[in-house]
Amino acid sequence: MHHFVYKDGRLQAEEFDVAELAATYGTPLYIYSTATLRRHYHAFDSAFEGLDHLTCFSAKANSNLSVLRLLGDMGAGVDIVSGGELYRALKAGIAPEKIVYSGVGKQRHEIEQALEADILMFNCESVPELELINEVAQEKGLVARISLRINPDVDPQTHPYISTGLKKNKFGLNLEQSEEAYRLARDLPGVDPIGMDCHIGSQLTSIEPFLEALERLKRFYAKLQDMGLAIRYLDLGGGLGITYDEETPPHPQQLGEALAESLKDLDVTLILEPGRVIAGNAGIMVSKVLYTKTSEAKHFTVVDAAMNDLVRPSLYGAYHRLAEVTPQKRQELPMDIVGPICETGDFLAQDRTLPELAPGECIAAFSAGAYGFTMASQYNSRPRAAEILVDGDQARIVRRRETYEDLIALETDALTGK
Ligand code: LLP
């Protein structure tokens, strides 16, 4: 459920008319709904109520400061994967003891930064990383709380680019390697192995892969206990899917109940790292039709948003529902919705049947609140879109539209030195 619905034939974002927002703030425009973010966070977090748990929103899905702050105010922690995300999380007022740090390529300066902030734990993905964390912590006279990211070799049955828990994926350590790494961690003075971690993939539409991964982790937990390790945290990562099109992902409640059953004998705090399920359907991206044209083969609608604004269709062939902001009765026809970027792969949809759109009108790409703006770039020297957050009858610009000056702000002219 989200708060982007049609009223009297016009798309609303909470109490705002989307066409009016587009006229006021310009396009392309990301619009996030406070009520939807709150609702999704609450639905997710309360699904694990019976369990000792911590919900760490995955910042990579949507790292806008206002979004992080809004979720943080509801009690969320944050899952980060870079020094930049740590910086954002702290700026947004997230308590360090609610921050977990994942990712295969943590650098020394990022490890230092996270140790100084005293985050809850590093989800460590390799032995060399473990050794570096140990070294940096010792230099600082600190002990880093860590878990190892275990790759349980479970097929999440999702897009290959976003499945992460298979043998062939770059993430984590297999069970055998993990055992060795925990042995090493136990003996390293600069690290304290307090957790186990896995994340098997994203946009999962059934709970079985989660349960399978958890079973494998539980067996391993017993082994770690035999090794004398006091594991207090079990981080199952993120990955719960959303409805983009016809998918029917499980409700968080179902996952919560299944996990509660499976975890009842374990004395651990469960950590979850949801991203998409919280933010995905809490945002839309609005763009304006520039031109239409018909070739022998196809009808094209050229809009002012491109793959630099929303890359998911181009990168993954992902489906985003597209719809008029002010629908009218007219002929429907199959078309490609394309952007102004000079790439054949620049499209929001291909062979989609939509009403014949007219220049000047706006269309909304739904489910754009996660991995939308965070994956945006300035390709083709296109200033990045504005982001606004609506809350009932309030709308705030939470990131202003970039300007041409922003495009070149960090560059120096080699000729003039300016
Ligand atoms: N935790 C870790 C360690 C992750 O790598 C991810 C996502 C998450 C949590 C959050 O997963 P979620 O709950 O959002 O599924 N750009 C792609 C998605 C990449 C996901 C990467 N990792 C997309 O647009 O579909």
Side-chain angles (χ1 to χ4, degrees), residues 285 290 298 300-315 336-350 377 379-380 382:
M285 188 202 57
L290 299 176
K298 278 193 173 189
F300 293 97
T301 300
V302 185
V303 298
D304 66 357
M307 62 192 289
N308 74 299
D309 300 299
L310 179 65
V311 76
R312 302 191 72 257
S314 304
L315 191 58
D336 282 12
I337 310 281
V338 300
I341 281 184
C342 300
E343 298 250 2
T344 306
D346 177 28
F347 55 83
L348 294 182
Q350 285 181 307
S377 74
Y379 186 39
N380 275 208
R382 290 169 49 85

Side-chain angles (χ1 to χ4, degrees), residues 58 60 79 162 199 202 238-239 273-276 312 316 371 375:
S58 195
K60 64 177 81 60
D79 157 50
I162 52 177
H199 168 80
S202 201
E273 303 172 353
R276 191 187 318 262
R312 302 191 72 257
Y316 312 116
Y371 308 109
M375 295 178 80

